[in-house]
Amino acid sequence: MHPHLLQTISLPLTVITIIIIAIPISLCEPDERYLSCSKSFECGNIQNITYPFWGVNRPQYCGYPGFHLDCSGDAPVIKISEVAYQVLEIKSMSRVHLISTEYTDNICSIPPVNSTFDSDRFSYASNTKNIMLYYGCPTIPSQFLPTLGLSYQFSCNISRTDMVGYYLTRNLSMSATGSFAANISSYLESCNHSVLIPAYESAVRSIESHPTAANLTNALHRGFWLQWTANDSLCNKCKFSGGQCGYNNDSSKFTCYCQDQPYATTCKKDETEETIKKMVTVGLWCVQTNPLDRPSMTKVVEMLEGSLQFLQTPPKPFLYSPTTSLETNLTASTLRACALSQKESGMAAIS
């Protein structure tokens, strides 16, 4: 082969190789935070749980504050206002089915624990009602006990002390009037402890018909539903654009983790492809056989920093073959290099 022809062929190949090597690794490998938030939380029968929940294999930035899950035994546990709840079910419509771990065995919690929820994050589902438990109460005279919503007496041993208890499922003004309601209220107000526990509305109706301690325990075992609010509309937009939802605790703002980098709300799908096309076009200008057609280094920087739509298509080199497009081959080579890089990264992660 003629030495001049060999030099002419080797120059474009060398420049093409440099362009492929110069493509940022971020264009080939997905962002680490995107990969981490792509993983789902799984514990026992609770599977495929993602944003706003985080914990175990999902870092904190993959979830919303206050939605940390811990896999304890065969069921996940979430703490809300320092009270632990076992997660029974999570629905896609921003609903979570919980049961207080303090009342899974009996209604005599030590000490009695009140259920309170951050109104900015959680609210009762429409089928959830409150039950008020009273401990350490004076004995209420029997003539008041037929009152709808007021239970019969039950006993608890709390801190080695026998206590009389009652529970109330509705406002007394709805089931008693005048001095009758006032007398019952005065008895309950003199109790040592009172706690609020949510329950199914159907379970509340059931224990009103048969107000015993055993029926109350069964009602509490059924748990209750909460609805949550955690930038859900932003998360829907993020997922639709191909991203993974998360939260930046430094800025206290929602974050959409994408394959290339994090964004405020949605992924910019075309950025990676545009960058590759821009580098290919600039590379084609740099391998022109006529030195006068090649851009200066200053011009190369301007072209790479500018928009793709303003880049002119370079002339076809004299080695151009009508059946083969150098730009097409170069783009294919670039994409193959990215695919090979991803494959090697995957094999390294497996090993």
Side-chain angles (χ1 to χ4, degrees):
M1 183 177 291
H2 194 279
H4 177 71
L5 181 58
L6 180 61
Q7 183 180 7
T8 304
I9 296 175
S10 62
L11 177 61
L13 292 177
T14 302
V15 176
I16 290 172
T17 302
I18 293 174
I19 292 174
I20 294 176
I21 295 175
I23 295 177
I25 192 67
S26 61
L27 300 183
C28 299
E29 295 182 353
D31 185 88
E32 181 180 353
R33 289 159 294 186
Y34 169 84
L35 294 176
S36 296
C37 296
S38 298
K39 300 175 182 176
S40 60
F41 176 92
E42 297 182 355
C43 179
N45 294 327
I46 306 298
Q47 304 286 317
N48 301 319
I49 303 304
T50 56
Y51 184 90
F53 298 96
W54 60 278
V56 186
N57 62 332
R58 286 176 53 81
Q60 185 175 1
Y61 56 76
C62 295
Y64 195 78
F67 286 80
H68 175 251
L69 293 178
D70 179 33
C71 188
S72 178
D74 59 351
V77 172
I78 184 173
K79 273 193 173 183
I80 304 176
S81 299
E82 300 303 318
V83 179
Y85 298 90
Q86 180 179 318
V87 179
L88 303 179
E89 189 178 0
I90 296 177
K91 292 285 190 180
S92 59
M93 300 298 291
S94 301
R95 297 176 63 196
V96 57
H97 187 191
L98 304 175
I99 178 174
S100 173
T101 58
E102 303 292 339
Y103 297 96
T104 53
D105 296 326
N106 58 67
I107 58 177
C108 300
S109 173
I110 306 173
V113 178
N114 202 36
S115 292
T116 57
F117 304 99
D118 183 352
S119 59
D120 291 334
R121 293 177 173 85
F122 299 100
S123 61
Y124 282 172
S126 58
N127 61 349
T128 298
K129 301 296 180 182
N130 282 326
I131 300 176
M132 183 70 77
L133 272 66
Y134 296 88
Y135 300 94
C137 305
T139 300
I140 299 178
S142 58
Q143 65 264 29
F144 296 117
L145 293 181
T147 303
L148 182 63
L150 178 63
S151 75
Y152 293 104
Q153 172 183 314
F154 63 86
S155 61
C156 282
N157 187 291
I158 299 178
S159 300
R160 298 181 180 180
T161 302
D162 291 328
M163 294 185 179
V164 172
Y166 297 90
Y167 62 83
L168 193 64
T169 58
R170 60 175 62 199
N171 193 313
L172 282 174
S173 62
M174 300 173 59
S175 53
T177 58
S179 60
F180 199 82
N183 286 332
I184 297 175
S185 295
S186 65
Y187 280 109
L188 296 178
E189 288 173 0
S190 62
C191 299
N192 295 335
H193 306 283
S194 63
V195 296
L196 195 68
I197 302 178
Y200 266 123
E201 183 178 15
S202 59
V204 171
R205 289 197 300 266
S206 176
I207 60 177
E208 283 183 345
S209 302
H210 302 88
T212 65
N215 286 339
L216 173 62
T217 301
N218 292 334
L220 297 183
H221 281 173
R222 292 181 59 185
F224 60 95
W225 285 92
L226 287 181
Q227 292 181 305
W228 75 71
T229 301
N231 290 325
D232 303 285
S233 59
L234 293 179
C235 184
N236 290 335
K237 294 178 181 178
C238 173
K239 290 191 292 187
F240 185 77
S241 70
Q244 298 293 334
C245 306
Y247 190 85
N248 188 323
N249 288 281
D250 293 331
S251 62
S252 299
K253 292 182 179 180
F254 174 85
T255 300
C256 184
Y257 293 106
C258 306
Q259 294 196 45
D260 55 343
Q261 67 180 56
Y263 293 94
T265 53
T266 58
C267 300
K268 299 179 180 179
K269 289 187 175 181
D270 298 330
E271 261 197 12
T272 299
E273 183 179 352
E274 180 175 324
T275 301
I276 293 176
K277 289 182 177 179
K278 191 189 300 182
M279 296 184 73
V280 168
T281 304
V282 173
L284 289 171
W285 275 109
C286 292
V287 299
Q288 293 298 305
T289 53
N290 187 350
L292 297 178
D293 291 333
R294 299 172 192 166
S296 64
M297 287 305 299
T298 301
K299 183 63 176 178
V300 167
V301 173
E302 291 178 359
M303 295 167 73
L304 290 174
E305 291 181 346
S307 174
L308 177 64
Q309 62 180 335
F310 297 119
L311 289 182
Q312 294 181 339
T313 302
K316 300 170 184 177
F318 78 90
L319 292 175
Y320 169 80
S321 171
T323 60
T324 303
S325 169
L326 182 58
E327 180 177 353
T328 301
N329 289 341
L330 184 54
T331 303
S333 299
T334 303
L335 296 177
R336 281 197 297 271
C338 289
L340 179 59
S341 175
Q342 288 180 329
K343 182 177 179 181
E344 291 177 348
S345 298
M347 292 179 65
I350 293 174
S351 60

